[in-house]
Amino acid sequence: MFDKTQFPAENVAPTAGHSVFRLWWPGVISAVTWATAFSVTALFPNHVRTPAAQSLEACEIMIIIFSGFSVLLGNMSSFSSLAHHGRRIAALGGAVAVWEVMTAKTGWLPLPFFPSPQAILDVYRVDSERLAQSVVHSLLLLIPGFGLGSLTGFLVGVAMGWSPEARYWGHPIIRLLGPLPSIAWLPIALFIFPTITAASVFLIALATAFPVAVLTASGVALVDSRLYDVGRTLGASEGFLIRTIVIPAALPNVFVGLFMGLGASFIVLIVAEMLGAKAGLGWYLQWAQGWAAYANLYAALAVMSVLFSSVTMVLFAIRRRLLRWNRETVEW
């Protein structure tokens, strides 16, 4: 006879309170793909003339280190968002490696239309001041234009949804003018307004107002009329009904209109800046294309993507705050 306690149990299931380490494979794959991208960038000679790749190599090393730590932390509950994005980070590393091979290392994609990753990163070092000024100028057009258009569309939509008389006169105007692209009004806006800035704000507001007005009016019209009867029975005034019943009930439709107007305002902003402005992201795109500086063009597109996505994310955050009672599956 022998005592089994003298020998360690290798296949015993873990008891409660003990955790078993599991290798987080997306982190491993991410480290491998980004290590491959770093090897391609640092070890292979360039086939075409490109800026120094120190900044790209530094970014790749940082992501490799981050991926290495994620192998240890990816299974922890507090890092669930990290686990969600793990495969995307890994795929991005593979894309950078392929992009580097097809541009800087082999020249299969011709210059100047397809710059290398380090050429685009170098734009943020060399031309960051001009890009920052372009972002500020675009925001100075987008924020007041979108705000003015949202307010105007909201008030018009509430009036059309509440008042038959307002709906009678407003409906044909929206049917005739709403489908027109707002940028088609640019010649008239330049004649009416003294500066291109004022004209651009007007066009952005126009692009925003129509979808907000239509969706707001639809939301108001869908409110159950029995709620009005109850309110009137209790002595509520028309203004009280609008503030406490109509507007809260129509808010889901209002935000749909706001999202549609925001997308339209992005388009009008860039087109207006490309056609007549002397600053802004649209102007920067036009300037980069004119000088065949496609690295600057791609860098500006990346900035636009981050900027517009951030603005949309802010609007989604406001929606979640105001509509906590309305659980939707669409998120940003």
Side-chain angles (χ1 to χ4, degrees):
M1 298 293 292
F2 60 91
D3 187 2
K4 294 182 180 180
T5 60
Q6 296 177 354
F7 299 90
E10 296 181 357
N11 298 319
V12 178
T15 59
H18 292 78
S19 61
V20 177
F21 173 76
R22 295 192 305 271
L23 197 63
W24 188 59
W25 283 106
V28 176
I29 298 172
S30 177
V32 170
T33 56
W34 281 99
T36 303
F38 174 77
S39 301
V40 170
T41 304
L43 302 180
F44 287 84
N46 291 335
H47 180 77
V48 297
R49 185 177 180 181
T50 58
Q54 284 85 354
S55 57
L56 178 61
E57 293 171 5
C59 292
E60 291 168 341
I61 291 174
M62 290 176 59
I63 298 177
I64 293 170
I65 296 173
F66 171 79
S67 300
F69 279 113
S70 71
V71 174
L72 304 176
L73 303 176
N75 289 308
M76 298 175 61
S77 59
S78 57
F79 288 86
S80 58
S81 61
L82 172 66
H84 177 70
H85 296 291
R87 289 179 295 169
R88 297 171 180 172
I89 299 174
L92 182 60
V96 170
V98 172
W99 181 8
E100 182 75 3
V101 168
M102 297 185 71
T103 54
K105 305 305 177 182
T106 63
W108 289 343
L109 295 177
L111 289 174
F113 306 103
F114 299 98
S116 61
Q118 55 261 41
I120 295 176
L121 281 180
D122 194 60
V123 172
Y124 298 121
R125 179 183 64 85
V126 175
D127 209 22
S128 59
E129 182 179 355
R130 189 180 316 185
L131 266 174
Q133 292 174 351
S134 299
V135 169
V136 172
H137 186 275
S138 293
L139 287 176
L140 291 177
L141 295 181
L142 178 66
I143 293 175
F146 178 73
L148 180 61
S150 300
L151 179 61
T152 303
F154 175 75
L155 295 177
V156 171
V158 170
M160 289 179 57
W162 179 260
S163 169
E165 188 69 15
R167 184 163 54 251
Y168 175 82
W169 293 106
H171 184 67
I173 296 176
I174 288 181
R175 287 188 61 183
L176 291 174
L177 302 183
L180 290 178
S182 298
I183 202 64
W185 295 94
L186 180 62
I188 299 175
L190 291 175
F191 174 77
I192 296 175
F193 295 94
T195 62
I196 185 63
T197 299
S200 299
V201 170
F202 167 75
L203 294 176
I204 294 170
L206 193 64
T208 305
F210 281 109
V212 174
V214 171
L215 270 299
T216 301
S218 176
V220 173
L222 291 175
V223 177
D224 192 347
S225 61
R226 290 175 295 182
L227 297 175
Y228 304 147
D229 297 335
V230 173
R232 292 189 179 99
T233 302
L234 297 175
S237 63
E238 299 291 302
F240 184 84
L241 291 176
I242 292 175
R243 292 193 307 271
T244 59
I245 297 178
V246 173
I247 293 178
L251 277 181
N253 285 57
V254 173
F255 274 99
V256 174
L258 288 174
F259 289 125
M260 294 177 62
L262 187 61
S265 68
F266 292 155
I267 298 173
V268 174
L269 170 69
I270 298 303
V271 174
E273 289 180 338
M274 292 179 72
L275 292 179
K278 300 300 181 182
L281 290 170
W283 168 86
Y284 191 92
L285 291 177
Q286 192 79 352
W287 169 84
Q289 182 185 14
W291 287 96
Y294 284 89
N296 297 68
L297 188 145
Y298 289 123
L301 288 175
V303 170
M304 288 168 54
S305 176
V306 173
L307 176 65
F308 294 160
S309 180
S310 300
V311 174
T312 306
M313 184 170 59
V314 170
L315 188 57
F316 263 96
I318 296 173
R319 181 190 179 280
R320 284 193 299 269
R321 179 77 174 179
L322 295 179
L323 301 181
R324 291 189 295 268
W325 49 272
N326 186 16
R327 299 295 182 182
E328 295 285 349
T329 57
V330 179
E331 293 293 339
W332 190 259

